[in-house]
Amino acid sequence: MKQTKKDIIIQEILLWKDNQMLPPHYCDYLLALYTQGTEFTEAGRRARLKRIHMSTALLALLLLPVAVCILYFTELSFLLQTVILTSFVGSLLLLAIYFSRQKVLAPMLFLGAALLGIKYPDFS
């Protein structure tokens, strides 16, 4: 069987295990069967997911100071500032939705999006 097909099957089995669609011992058996017992480790998977979550959270936290510097300390036109602000708030909200499903740092991202939205509270 090709490696890409095995990877797809392994990802599906992991999804079944995470969503408890099959008992865990069935999923472990299927994982051992498709990986020949050598490639898959649960600790490695957790470490990889944690690394991905932390790098994404770091990216989101670095986005806030960049947004503040661009919006408050440069003299861009109102339209360009609004576009930049909208893109930053939108990306933070998308990250917050992703992290709320993962239950990681979601309140901090919602707070960051709210703080960026304070830039133009009165449009009159």
Side-chain angles (χ1 to χ4, degrees), residues 5-121:
K5 288 183 181 181
K6 283 185 182 181
D7 290 340
I8 291 171
I9 291 171
I10 289 170
Q11 292 302 319
E12 285 297 319
I13 294 169
L14 290 172
L15 180 73
W16 296 343
K17 187 175 184 179
D18 288 342
N19 293 325
Q20 298 173 349
M21 296 170 73
L22 286 175
H25 59 280
Y26 287 175
C27 293
D28 292 339
Y29 171 76
L30 289 172
L31 285 171
L33 180 69
Y34 281 102
T35 60
Q36 285 88 32
T38 58
E39 297 174 14
F40 176 77
T41 61
E42 188 70 28
R45 179 175 172 259
R46 285 189 197 132
R48 192 179 111 243
L49 283 176
K50 185 177 180 182
R51 190 175 33 221
I52 290 171
H53 285 173
M54 293 309 287
S55 63
T56 309
L58 182 65
L59 174 72
L61 290 176
L62 289 176
L63 189 63
L64 287 173
V66 169
V68 168
C69 288
I70 288 175
L71 294 175
Y72 287 105
F73 300 118
T74 60
E75 293 188 18
L76 300 173
S77 68
F78 177 75
L79 181 63
L80 188 57
Q81 283 186 350
T82 304
V83 168
I84 291 171
L85 178 70
T86 304
S87 66
F88 283 151
V89 170
S91 63
L92 281 174
L93 286 176
L94 288 174
L95 285 171
I97 290 169
Y98 170 75
F99 279 126
S100 68
R101 291 184 181 164
Q102 303 296 323
K103 297 177 177 56
V104 180
L105 296 175
M108 187 177 296
L109 293 171
F110 282 123
L111 179 67
L115 287 175
L116 284 176
I118 294 176
K119 172 71 174 158
Y120 299 109

